[in-house]
Amino acid sequence: MDETLFAQLQEVEKSGLIEDSFFTEEEVRFFEKNYVFVFDDDLLVEQLRHQSLSRIFDKKHMVLTIAPTHNCNFNCGYCYEKWRNPGRMSDETEDAIVQFLKKRMEQDAMDTLNLTWYGGEPLLETKRLLSLGLKIKGLGLNVLENEIVTNGYLLDSKRIEVLSEIGVDTIQVTLDGLRVDHDKRRPLLNGNGTFDKIVENLDGLFSGKFCDSFFVAVRVNIDKSNQVKFWEVFEWLNERYPSKNLVVYPGWIHLEDSNPSKCNCFGRNESTDFCISALKERNVCLEKIYPDDINVECLVRNPNNMIIGWRGEIYKCFEDLGETSLVVGNIHDDPVFSNHELQAKYSVGIDHYQEEECQSCSYLPICHGGCPKRRMENKYEGKNNDCCTPFKGRIEDYLELL
């Protein structure tokens, strides 16, 4: 964009009028397509909502998370999985999952899948991962993503080979600091440290025959009490593993209102400041710095996406896993879904395109509605979570980084 065109846009912003002499027809169409010019606010909201609902109710693609166990070998203080119902997935549940996927392929022409292995700690059930993973692989679906979320303690060479065999392409591991800090925040159930074992396993992964087979995402859960520790981990890992297949990123801890540690959590603007500072001072991009108009929301809003627990119970959100009141169905039942009220709340009850405040917000075209779980809490539990896009009120700060 040259200075003349920019000056003309500034004039439009001041006057609210688009002079015919200012822009060519091609320029007007471009600005309208990219929501710079909006001639009918109500029509724009309806168009965006239609795009959103089309994706939400798409049956040809599924985002599936499987938790073969709720058991975990760690005792992290901030973990929301306080339920941890002990148990392991049975052969019957495994077969029910495979039959359900076959049925979806036959009845709804489902042909693509995003797959995540979750827990608890999924590597406690490596034999189940291998058995079920190979069966899913044999269905012939186009698996676009195949990820495992693990604490990394059991990620030895044998299990890495299993992950490769079932087609896993991304491994997410968490390190909450270097040895002393991490071991305080993420100990074993018996209180012993976990840092050294995780690093030993990462050493084996990055130096072994599968070093180029996986994308490794190391999450560092941070709040105000350990934010400076993020950079210690970031620099240490990138120096130890100079690989294009490694990314280290911050995970923002969210705690319940009743938790006394909630005051240590980042707010929206504070996390934005952290990311902007990272790019300005360290030339490290932790989050996208330029908004897009890809109207994609969290998987929980699609009624066809699900998280399956070890007993075959179905949930919508990772945070719901193990909470019996938030079960929406069971893979053993026919039909599999039974809690239609909760499904409706997630799918359409928290539709931000239907909220008056959001409809009048100029950030709507680049906002994905925020976290549906937090929106659910706001609407149905009277909470006041901030669900707005990080760009809100900070767009100039981001654009100055380009």
Side-chain angles (χ1 to χ4, degrees), residues 359-377:
Q359 289 176 346
S360 60
C361 179
S362 59
Y363 291 89
L364 184 65
I366 60 171
C367 173
H368 307 307
C371 173
K373 182 68 175 179
R374 306 283 88 84
R375 296 181 70 84
M376 285 275 285
E377 292 173 344

Side-chain angles (χ1 to χ4, degrees), residues 57-174:
F57 292 100
D58 177 21
K59 292 185 176 182
K60 296 193 69 175
H61 177 70
M62 176 185 286
V63 179
L64 174 63
T65 298
I66 300 174
T69 182
H70 293 176
N71 296 333
C72 187
N73 50 346
F74 277 28
N75 185 27
C76 307
Y78 52 73
C79 182
Y80 54 78
E81 299 179 2
K82 299 304 180 186
W83 34 264
R84 286 189 183 167
N85 301 316
R88 307 166 63 187
M89 182 174 288
S90 66
D91 292 341
E92 290 75 18
T93 298
E94 174 181 309
D95 291 339
I97 292 173
V98 175
Q99 290 305 313
F100 174 72
L101 292 175
K102 285 182 177 179
K103 188 174 182 180
R104 285 289 313 277
M105 294 171 68
E106 294 167 359
Q107 294 185 354
D108 300 321
M110 184 184 76
D111 56 5
T112 58
L113 179 71
N114 283 19
L115 180 60
T116 299
W117 303 96
Y118 195 67
E121 172 49 50
L123 289 181
L124 288 170
E125 296 295 325
T126 307
K127 290 182 179 179
R128 183 64 62 194
L129 295 186
L130 178 61
S131 176
L132 180 52
L134 289 178
K135 289 179 181 178
I136 293 175
K137 189 176 181 180
L139 293 176
L141 286 163
N142 181 10
V143 181
L144 304 179
E145 297 176 6
N146 193 337
E147 176 183 11
I148 186 168
V149 179
T150 171
N151 56 41
Y153 193 82
L154 300 174
L155 192 64
D156 57 22
S157 59
K158 291 182 178 179
R159 290 181 173 90
I160 288 171
E161 191 161 350
V162 168
L163 297 183
S164 176
E165 192 171 351
I166 65 174
V168 169
D169 51 42
T170 301
I171 300 173
Q172 179 187 304
V173 177
T174 300

